[in-house]
Amino acid sequence: MAEDLVIDGRKIGSRLVIGTGGIPSLEVLDAILEASAASLATVAVRRVDAGGRGGILDVLRARHVDVLPNTAGCFTATEAVLTAGLAREAFGTNWIKLEVIGDEDTLLPDVVELLSAAEQLCDDGFVVLPYTNDDPVLARRLEQAGCAAVMPLGSPIGSGLGIRNPHNIALITETCSVPVILDAGIGTASDAALAMELGCDGVLIASAITRCREPVRMAAAMRGAVEAGYLARRAGRIPRRSHAQASSPSEGIISLDAP
Amino acid sequence: MFVNGRACAVDPGTSVAALVAQWCPSAEGIAVARNGEVIPKSAWPSTSLGDDDRVEIVTAAAGG
């Protein structure tokens, strides 16, 4: 019934991608991975003396979860390209979740630097999954640059504000031919279901799981929500109507009037 | 030289491989950049470091 998510020719076992940012511990991450059934998870690239212990790679490997390195914390294309190069060397993957951030307050993408970095990395043989604005034009430009997927935000990273512009997300899913993974802004399960109902091919969730009261329970909720939204999208929702439409037949209703 | 933003006294001619061995229990999941350029693992033993080098040694951390 369900079709696999395929990015750059590679089957991704789950449409729920886990962002590991904000995990309380590696033990909780392990339980999140199990509950979510994710097969792809992000990691950041950090100095070895700054909390980057490498142990996270062991947790992912034991769960057969593939590593999707990111360029979080980069503000320029130059920084992002170098970080991607380090990730490729460190983790042996040419996949990169490309983030180039404009400012600390909003963490919104700097689209000029983002597109420049995407072009350079695609030319250098990377499989680029850019974190981008909910802008259909930019999404198209990133696809044209050779990106293997696009990852529009629902709302700012970690905000939990959900999908602020569902119309734009729907436009992106209609106009892009590469997979669309909603990234950032998810607050709870209904947001993830909505993303899939809008036609997204997957959802990346970090904070909504890792920073909630019960991360493992939320991981299970997100797994269900992504699947429900995907199935509902494929099933095809009924049209919205201004007025009621009875679901019971109008024939054969009893009458108190003779005969 | 600077290693991960910290001033370090390192013997002249120390290789990248030797520096990594000092900093990390294992080279698994580690990458190195010198002056903004990635040094491939295969070149670590043959790449000598000098006083003016700025070295970054990185690995995976939770994020994203």
Side-chain angles (χ1 to χ4, degrees):
Chain A
M1 266 273 286
E3 285 173 20
D4 287 311
L5 169 60
V6 177
I7 300 176
D8 192 49
R10 182 165 126 199
K11 270 191 208 172
I12 311 294
S14 167
R15 290 173 185 274
L16 171 56
V17 180
I18 296 295
T20 62
I23 50 164
S25 69
L26 291 180
E27 290 72 26
V28 172
L29 172 62
D30 186 58
I32 287 171
L33 294 174
E34 183 180 26
S36 66
S39 56
L40 191 62
T42 63
V43 297
V45 177
R46 288 293 179 270
R47 290 169 165 172
V48 292
D49 57 349
R53 299 275 182 272
I56 192 168
L57 294 175
D58 297 330
V59 174
L60 298 182
R61 196 180 298 116
R63 287 272 170 213
H64 304 290
V65 173
D66 289 331
V67 174
L68 176 60
N70 68 27
T71 63
C74 293
F75 284 80
T76 66
T78 303
E79 289 169 3
V81 168
L82 174 59
T83 302
L86 286 166
R88 180 165 62 180
E89 189 66 22
F91 315 132
T93 175
N94 62 347
W95 284 43
I96 191 77
K97 182 193 157 191
L98 177 62
E99 293 183 37
V100 190
I101 297 306
D103 67 71
E104 292 276 9
D105 291 331
T106 64
L107 299 179
L108 290 170
D110 182 319
V111 299
V112 177
E113 295 292 317
L114 177 70
L115 189 57
S116 167
E119 287 168 345
Q120 292 177 56
L121 290 169
C122 289
D123 286 349
D124 194 19
F126 282 88
V127 175
V128 181
L129 292 78
Y131 160 65
T132 178
N133 291 77
D134 55 359
D135 175 354
V137 176
L138 179 60
R140 192 170 66 227
R141 290 291 299 270
L142 289 163
E143 180 178 351
Q144 288 167 350
C147 292
V150 291
M151 307 185 73
L153 56 84
S155 52
I157 292 169
S159 70
L161 289 171
I163 299 174
R164 303 313 296 171
N165 195 337
H167 179 64
N168 270 21
I169 297 297
L171 276 175
I172 292 170
T173 67
E174 286 161 21
T175 53
C176 280
S177 51
V178 293
V180 177
I181 315 281
L182 191 102
D183 181 10
I186 297 285
T188 188
S190 52
D191 297 330
L194 175 60
M196 299 304 288
E197 288 170 6
L198 291 169
C200 291
D201 298 285
V203 180
L204 190 153
I205 303 175
S207 303
I209 293 174
T210 62
R211 296 199 161 108
C212 80
R213 200 173 58 236
E214 292 189 44
V216 181
R217 185 168 286 185
M218 187 61 89
M222 292 303 187
R223 177 187 181 180
V226 168
E227 188 180 352
Y230 173 76
L231 289 172
R233 168 74 179 192
R234 284 176 58 98
R237 60 154 300 136
I238 59 167
R240 291 176 173 86
R241 298 173 189 278
S242 303
H243 294 101
Q245 186 186 40
S247 56
S248 304
S250 52
E251 298 84 30
I253 297 173
I254 60 164
S255 173
L256 296 179
D257 301 326
Chain B
M1 81 178 68
F2 282 87
V3 180
N4 285 357
R6 297 213 302 249
C8 290
V10 175
D11 292 337
T14 297
S15 71
V16 172
L19 183 71
V20 170
Q22 286 173 31
W23 277 67
C24 312
S26 152
E28 173 101 22
I30 301 289
V32 176
R34 180 181 61 169
N35 305 326
E37 299 279 342
V38 178
I39 311 286
K41 268 195 178 113
S42 57
W44 286 4
S46 59
T47 303
S48 300
L49 296 168
D51 275 348
D52 298 330
D53 284 335
R54 304 180 71 86
V55 179
E56 298 283 348
I57 307 175
V58 299
T59 189

